[in-house]
Amino acid sequence: TSAGTCGTDEASFTFNALPVPDASFSFGPLSFCSLETDPVASVNTPGGTFTAAPATLVLNASTGEVDLSASPAGDYVITYAIDGLCPVSTTTAFTITAPANATWHVPGTGILCAGGAPIALDTLIDGDPGGSWSGEGVSGSVFDPAACSSATVQVTYSVGSGLCSDSEQLTLTVEPVPVAIAGPDTTVCSLSAHLIGNAGSTGTWTGPVGALFSNAADPEAIVTVPTSGTWWFAWTLGSPGCSSTDTVRITFHGPGE
């Protein structure tokens, strides 16, 4: 090149496109019971870092293993991030469910009358709602004592699924409706009369003020009244909520009448 003349130089460059890492990962199912074996994430490209939100999820940042029993039940978002010249990340939803609670209680003492009204079983749940009922006399979530052929009935409440499911079975006693018979109407030439009620598990005589019973629980009690006239007496069999009552009319004629 002669003096005063500018020369020209050339240079060549080669650009290589780097592949973007595959940050996808999977736990299989997206929901786990806290009683299950701790799951480990399956990744397509190792070397990344796992994080979770909320941070209360106990998560191994390197392997993606989740400690189910140590983590509170709830919904989480897990992220897997790969750093480098082409950083990339993916996320997935993750849910931990707590063991279900199927506790419930029997109505009252658990002794029901065959003639009683149907019972809404869901009102007896003490644990988790949304489960299912089974047993004799059960239709959906209603128990009908009249639909039972047995005196002792096992009713079961089940809720949850898999390892987190729970169930509880309790016993209900269905008593038949008693039939009280107070005896035939009668007339006596006395101020006392022999009552003739039918026997039962529990019976009680009642009457107007002034009437005295030798034993109000005895179906064949003696009743004494203070004055002549027509008196009505009631004989009741059974227990509260499952009883039957019949009445008898007795006309009393005192001495000399």
Side-chain angles (χ1 to χ4, degrees):
T1 302
S2 59
T5 302
C6 294
T8 301
D9 290 330
E10 294 181 356
S12 62
F13 297 90
T14 300
F15 295 92
N16 294 320
L18 297 177
V20 178
D22 182 1
S24 61
F25 66 101
S26 173
F27 287 96
L30 299 180
S31 180
F32 293 85
C33 173
S34 61
L35 300 178
E36 293 185 61
T37 301
D38 293 342
V40 178
S42 173
V43 300
N44 289 317
T45 304
T49 302
F50 289 93
T51 57
T56 50
L57 183 72
V58 181
L59 173 68
N60 186 302
S62 298
T63 66
E65 181 178 14
V66 177
D67 190 334
L68 296 174
S69 61
S71 302
D75 296 321
Y76 299 89
V77 174
I78 297 177
T79 300
Y80 181 59
I82 301 174
D83 294 329
L85 295 176
C86 297
V88 64
S89 65
T90 58
T91 62
T92 187
F94 190 92
T95 299
I96 299 177
T97 57
N101 178 4
T103 57
W104 63 287
H105 61 276
V106 298
T109 61
I111 301 176
L112 307 174
C113 183
I119 297 170
L121 293 171
D122 283 348
T123 62
L124 306 176
I125 296 173
D126 300 313
D128 298 325
S132 60
W133 297 90
S134 60
E136 185 181 0
V138 174
S139 177
S141 60
V142 175
F143 176 76
D144 187 356
C148 298
S149 59
S150 305
T152 301
V153 178
Q154 306 293 330
V155 175
T156 302
Y157 177 62
S158 303
V159 65
S161 61
L163 288 177
C164 272
S165 64
D166 189 29
S167 65
E168 182 172 55
Q169 183 182 84
L170 297 179
T171 300
L172 299 177
T173 300
V174 180
E175 292 186 344
V177 180
V179 178
I181 301 175
D185 297 339
T186 187
T187 299
V188 295
C189 295
S190 172
L191 293 181
S192 296
H194 181 197
L195 299 170
I196 310 175
N198 62 322
S201 56
T202 303
T204 304
W205 285 106
T206 56
V209 175
L212 299 176
F213 299 95
S214 59
N215 180 357
D218 183 356
E220 298 188 10
I222 302 298
V223 61
T224 301
V225 297
T227 60
S228 300
T230 299
W231 294 64
W232 290 87
F233 306 100
W235 174 240
T236 301
L237 281 181
S239 55
C242 195
S243 62
S244 171
T245 299
D246 187 33
T247 58
V248 61
R249 182 188 66 204
I250 300 178
T251 299
F252 295 87
H253 293 291
E257 294 182 358

